[in-house]
Structures are given as structure tokens and as C-alpha cells.
Amino acid sequence: MKRRHLVLAAFSLPAASSSWAHHGWSSFDQERPIYLEGKVVQARWQNPHAELIIELPAGLKVPADLAKRSLPAQSSPVDGPALLSKAEAPRRKDRQWELELAPLTRMEAWKVAEIKPGTAVSVVGFTFKEEKGEAIARVEYLFVDGKAYGLRSSPA
């Protein structure tokens, strides 16, 4: 009897934390890339994918040189320069955003070191259609420590 209650409690714990919920990719608006930057306030380095919560600065703007940033080659055909040139600041005014990165195996393939709280990052990615729901972005390109990573696929 006690074992059954323990098992039920173990399955109910993940549901209690909605801020770390996993979302399918189809609900993200891949026609409208957004740019986010800020300091990491929380990091979760585990599967199904690494996740960060960042604090955005007030008055976030897309950097003038974003479209000119050098991007790495990756195994999936992604028109990175087009995404960077179309990226815009989010319309919603949330100061904290959850960033869904890639699975750990892909983060390791890119040789991305575990990102710790306090680290400055910027990303280009996608949020929910019409920016409804939570302030969550699926990251396409991650910029950290002077390097760029394409997270849709493995390095080419």
C-alpha cells in the first residue's frame, strides 16, 4: 500500500511545476523569429532539453549588427541569415523568459559548456503564435561567451 502512494506521488510532482513544462514545437510561430538577451537567473541542464530562465533588460532592442553575425554550419538546412535579419523584439513585456534549448546530446555535440546563473546570453528563436500563453521561446541560435550555436541540428 505504501509503495503505491509513493509511486503516485512521484508521478504527480512534475505536474506541480508548470514553469518547467515541456511544449511541442508545432505551437511555436516559426514565421516570426524573436530576439532575446539577458542574464541567466535559473538553469536546468537535463533532458528532454536544456532550459534557461533569463531576465531581460528594460527596453530590449534588436542589435543593429544582428543580421551580420557569423553563424555556424549545421546538419539541418536553416537559412540563418534570413532568420537573423527578420528577428524582432518580443511584443509582450515580460522581464523573465524561459528558453528551451536543445537536448543534452546536441548541446554536447556543439560543445556548449553548461550555462550557469549570471551568464549573459542572447538568442534568436520562436515564441508561441500571437505571443499567447507563457513567455517561452524555442531557441534556434544561441549566442554565449562570444560563440554562436545552431540548435536545430548537429554541427555540420
Side-chain angles (χ1 to χ4, degrees):
M1 205 60 139
K2 287 182 183 178
R3 181 180 165 135
R4 181 175 175 210
H5 292 293
L6 181 61
V7 170
L8 289 174
F11 282 114
S12 65
L13 284 176
S17 176
S18 64
S19 67
W20 291 103
H22 182 259
H23 301 275
W25 302 131
S26 64
S27 57
F28 292 93
D29 185 355
Q30 295 187 47
E31 298 301 315
R32 195 175 141 274
I34 62 167
Y35 174 83
L36 299 167
E37 69 178 35
K39 294 257 186 204
V40 175
V41 295
Q42 191 172 359
R44 188 169 174 158
W45 215 252
Q46 64 184 39
N47 283 315
H49 47 76
E51 298 171 340
L52 305 173
I53 294 181
I54 64 169
E55 180 93 22
L56 277 57
L60 174 70
K61 294 185 179 170
V62 176
D65 69 341
L66 180 65
K68 296 176 184 169
R69 289 190 186 176
S70 178
L71 297 173
Q74 55 182 316
S75 58
S76 180
V78 177
D79 188 350
L83 286 177
L84 268 54
S85 67
K86 285 175 47 178
E88 56 187 61
R91 295 180 191 125
R92 56 188 308 148
K93 301 302 178 200
D94 301 81
R95 291 294 302 276
Q96 287 196 345
W97 278 74
E98 180 180 327
L99 306 179
E100 294 185 353
L101 304 177
L104 293 184
T105 53
R106 194 171 311 144
M107 300 300 282
E108 290 169 5
W110 281 105
K111 298 183 178 14
V112 180
E114 185 173 342
I115 299 170
K116 303 285 187 187
T119 304
V121 300
S122 60
V123 302
V124 171
F126 308 100
T127 190
F128 295 121
K129 295 176 178 156
E130 299 175 18
E131 294 193 28
K132 296 194 182 205
E134 301 168 273
I136 296 174
R138 181 184 67 86
V139 175
E140 185 74 41
Y141 287 103
L142 169 68
F143 303 96
V144 63
D145 294 331
K147 296 180 183 169
Y149 304 97
L151 301 184
R152 183 172 298 215
S153 60
S154 297

